[in-house]
C-alpha cells in the first residue's frame, strides 16, 4: 500500500484519507474486501502500532475465504457447494450431503457406497467410553455428555494429532461422522437409565440413530420410514451454515493445530448456547410457558419491552425467511400425520402470524429461523427437549469437519489470534499489601 494523492477512477482500490495527518492511502480491494493488515501502515508517527479495525462479534469481518456454503441473508438463499438447500433436502441423503460438504462434489454411486461403508464401520465406540458416560449424574444434560465424550475420543485416537496427514484426516471424517449418533444416543440412554444399544450397520444413518435411541427388546428395530426420512432431512438442513459461532470455534480452536476431536468438542460447546443450537430447546420451553393462544399478545408485549426474546426468531445473517424453516414447516405436516399434531404447533403458527405483522419484528427484519419449527418435530418424534441441541450437533458434524479441513489446507490461515483495543490502566507500581 502506497500513499498517493490522486487515485485513478475505476481501479480496484480504496482510498483512505487520515484526517489526523492529511495523508491518503490506497488499499487494494479483492473480492469486495480489504485486508485488515493493510491498514497497519496508517500511522500518525513511526512509533505508532498502526490502524486496526474494531469489530466485536465479527459483524463485518471475513475471517476466511471459503468454498463450502453460500448464504444470501437478504434473499433467504442457502447453498452447499452451489446446490440449493431445497434440492439437497429433496434429492439427497445426509451422507451424500456430508460427502459434498467435505469433498466439494456429490458422490457417484461407488463413491457413496464406499463412503457409507466407511462411516457405518466406524459407528462403534470403545467400551471405555461407556465408563466415561456412566460417570455422569443421572440428570446430566445430554449436550454436556456429548461434548465431554467427543473430547474424550481424542485420547482414544492419538494419531489424529497428525492433522497434516490426509489419511489421518480421512479417518477423522469417518470416525466423527460415524460416532456422533452413537455418543448422542448413549447420552440419552444413560439419562433414562436404559442399556446402551450398539449400532446396527444394516440400517441407514438416521435409522441406526433411531434404533440406538429407542430399541428396547425387539430382535431387529425397524424405524418408521417417515421418521427416518424426516430426521435425515433435518440432519441435511443443519449440516453447515458457513461461519456461525460453532464453525468459528472449530476453525479457531483447530487453528492451534489441536487434534480434531478436541476442536469438535469446542465446536459442540459453542453450539450448546441458547443463542445458537440451544435455541430449539429454548423455543419449546417458550411455547410451553406461553401455554395457550390467549397468552400470545401478552408475551409479544413483554418481548417488545425487552423482557426476553422471541426464541426461534431473528438471525445474524438472514433478514428474510430462513429457507430451512420453510422446508421444516412442510416436513412437520408429514411427521404429524404419523405422530398426531403437536398441540404447540397452533401456538407457534399464531406467534409467527402475529410477529410477521408486528412493526417491532418487521422493522428489525426478524423472521422464523431453523429452530422455530424443528423442535416441534423433534418433540413429536419423542425426543426429549434437552436432546434437541444434540440432534443439531449430529447434523452439524460434517459441516464442522468441512470447515476444519478447508482451514487446514488454506495457506492464508494461521493460529487465530484477534487484537484488542486496550483501555485499561497505564503502567503503575504495586503497593505492598500492608500499605494498601
Ligand atoms: N426477539 C426479540 N427481539 C429480537 C430478537 C428476538 N428473537 N432477535 C433480535 N431482536 C432485536 C434485538 O433486541 C435488537 O433490537 P434493538 O435494535 O432495538 O436493540 C435487534 O433485534 C437486533 O438484534 P441483535 O441481537 O443485535 O441481532 P444479532 O444478529 O446479534 O442476533 C440472534 C442474532 C440469532 C442471536 C438473535 O436474533 C436472537 O437472539 N434470536 C433468538 C435466539 C435464536 O433463535 N437463535 C437461533 C439462531 S438460528 C440457529 C443457529 O444458527 O444457531
Amino acid at each position: 500500500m502506497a500513499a498517493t494523492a490522486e487515485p485513478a477512477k475505476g481501479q480496484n482500490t480504496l482510498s483512505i484519507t487520515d484526517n489526523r495527518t492529511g495523508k491518503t492511502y490506497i488499499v487494494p480491494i479483492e473480492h469486495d474486501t480489504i485486508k485488515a493488515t493493510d491498514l497497519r501502515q496508517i500511522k500518525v508517527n513511526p512509533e505508532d502500532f498502526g490502524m486496526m479495525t474494531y469489530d466485536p462479534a465479527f459483524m463485518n469481518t471475513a475471517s476466511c475465504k471459503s468454498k463450502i456454503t453460500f448464504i444470501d441473508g437478504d434473499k433467504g438463499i442457502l447453498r452447499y457447494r452451489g446446490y440449493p438447500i431445497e434440492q439437497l433436502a429433496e434429492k439427497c441423503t445426509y451422507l451424500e450431503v456430508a460427502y459434498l460438504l467435505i469433498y466439494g462434489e456429490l458422490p457417484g454411486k461407488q463413491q457413496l457406497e464406499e463412503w457409507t461403508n466407511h462411516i457405518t464401520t466406524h459407528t462403534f465406540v470403545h467400551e471405555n467410553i461407556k465408563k466415561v458416560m456412566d460417570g455422569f449424574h443421572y440428570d446430566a444434560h445430554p449436550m454436556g455428555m456429548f461434548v465431554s465424550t467427543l473430547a474424550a475420543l481424542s485420547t482414544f485416537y492419538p494419531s489424529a494429532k497428525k492433522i497434516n496427514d490426509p489419511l489421518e484426516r480421512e479417518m477423522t471424517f469417518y470416525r466423527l461422522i460415524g460416532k456422533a449418533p452413537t455418543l448422542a444416543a448413549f447420552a440419552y440412554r444413560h439419562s433414562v437409565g436404559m442399556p446402551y444399544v450398539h449400532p446396527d450397520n444394516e440400517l441407514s444413518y438416521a435409522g441406526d440413530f433411531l434404533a440406538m435411541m429407542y430399541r428396547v427388546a425387539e430382535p431387529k428395530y425397524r424405524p418408521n420410514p417417515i421418521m427416518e426420512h424426516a430426521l435425515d432431512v433435518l440432519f441435511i438442513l443443519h449440516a453447515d451454515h458457513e461461519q456461525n459461532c460453532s464453525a468459528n470455534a472449530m476453525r479457531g480452536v483447530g487453528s492451534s493445530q489441536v487434534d480434531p476431536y478436541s476442536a469438535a468438542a469446542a465446536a459442540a460447546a459453542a453450539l450448546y448456547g441458547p443463542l445458537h443450537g440451544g435455541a430449539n430447546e429454548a423455543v419449546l420451553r417458550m411455547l410451553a410457558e406461553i401455554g395457550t393462544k390467549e397468552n400470545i399478545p401478552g408475551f409479544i408485549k413483554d418481548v417488545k419491552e425487552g423482557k426476553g426474546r422471541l426464541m426461534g426468531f431473528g438471525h445474524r445473517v438472514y433478514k428474510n425467511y430462513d429457507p430451512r424453516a420453510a422446508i421444516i414447516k412442510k416436513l412437520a405436516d408429514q411427521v404429524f400425520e404419523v405422530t398426531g399434531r403437536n398441540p404447540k404447533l397452533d401456538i407457534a403458527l399464531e406467534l409467527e402470524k402475529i410477529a410477521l405483522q408486528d412493526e417491532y419484528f418487521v422493522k428489525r427484519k426478524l423472521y422464523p429461523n431453523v429452530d422455530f419449527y424443528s423442535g416441534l418435530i423433534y418433540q413429536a418424534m419423542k425426543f426429549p427437549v434437552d436432546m434437541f441441541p444434540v440432534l443439531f450437533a449430529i447434523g452439524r458434524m460434517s459441516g464442522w469437519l468441512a470447515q476444519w479441513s478447508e482451514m487446514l489446507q488454506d495457506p492464508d490461515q494461521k493460529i487465530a489470534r484477534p487484537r484488542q483495543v486496550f483501555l485499561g490502566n497505564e503502567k503503575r507500581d504495586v503497593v505492598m499489601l500492608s500499605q494498601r
Side-chain angles (χ1 to χ4, degrees), residues 275-276 279 309-316 360 364 369 371:
L275 297 189
H276 192 9
R309 291 204 159 188
L310 174 49
M311 299 310 285
F313 257 66
H315 201 276
R316 173 64 56 80
Y360 174 95
R364 291 170 178 78
N369 61 48
D371 289 323

Side-chain angles (χ1 to χ4, degrees), residues 207-346:
D208 180 34
F209 175 59
L210 288 171
M212 288 189 284
M213 287 284 298
Y214 297 129
R215 190 171 148 210
V216 185
E218 313 88 314
K220 178 89 185 167
Y221 181 91
R222 303 211 181 274
N224 178 304
I226 292 181
M227 304 297 186
E228 188 180 0
H229 172 69
L231 192 58
D232 201 62
V233 172
L234 285 160
F235 287 157
I236 293 174
L237 300 182
H238 287 91
D240 195 51
H241 214 230
E242 51 119 306
Q243 305 314 311
N244 55 85
C245 181
S246 57
N248 185 55
M250 184 83 190
R251 280 179 176 261
V253 174
S255 76
S256 73
Q257 305 199 344
V258 72
D259 72 87
Y261 300 97
S262 302
L271 189 74
Y272 192 3
L275 297 189
H276 192 9
N280 49 19
E281 183 177 347
V283 169
L284 258 280
R285 296 197 196 284
M286 173 189 76
L287 293 175
E289 204 182 298
I290 295 173
T292 63
K293 279 204 228 173
E294 292 68 50
N295 296 334
I296 293 177
F299 175 79
I300 295 271
K301 185 167 163 282
D302 285 351
V303 168
K304 284 159 60 175
E305 286 170 4
K307 297 180 198 154
R309 291 204 159 188
L310 174 49
M311 299 310 285
F313 257 66
H315 201 276
R316 173 64 56 80
V317 181
Y318 291 119
K319 301 302 167 197
N320 200 325
Y321 213 100
D322 182 335
R324 302 168 299 174
I327 298 169
I328 292 180
K329 216 171 153 184
K330 281 193 211 142
L331 200 63
D333 292 334
Q334 295 169 23
V335 171
F336 294 156
E337 264 184 39
V338 181
T339 61
R341 197 176 160 88
N342 187 329
K344 293 197 184 78
L345 178 66
D346 294 326

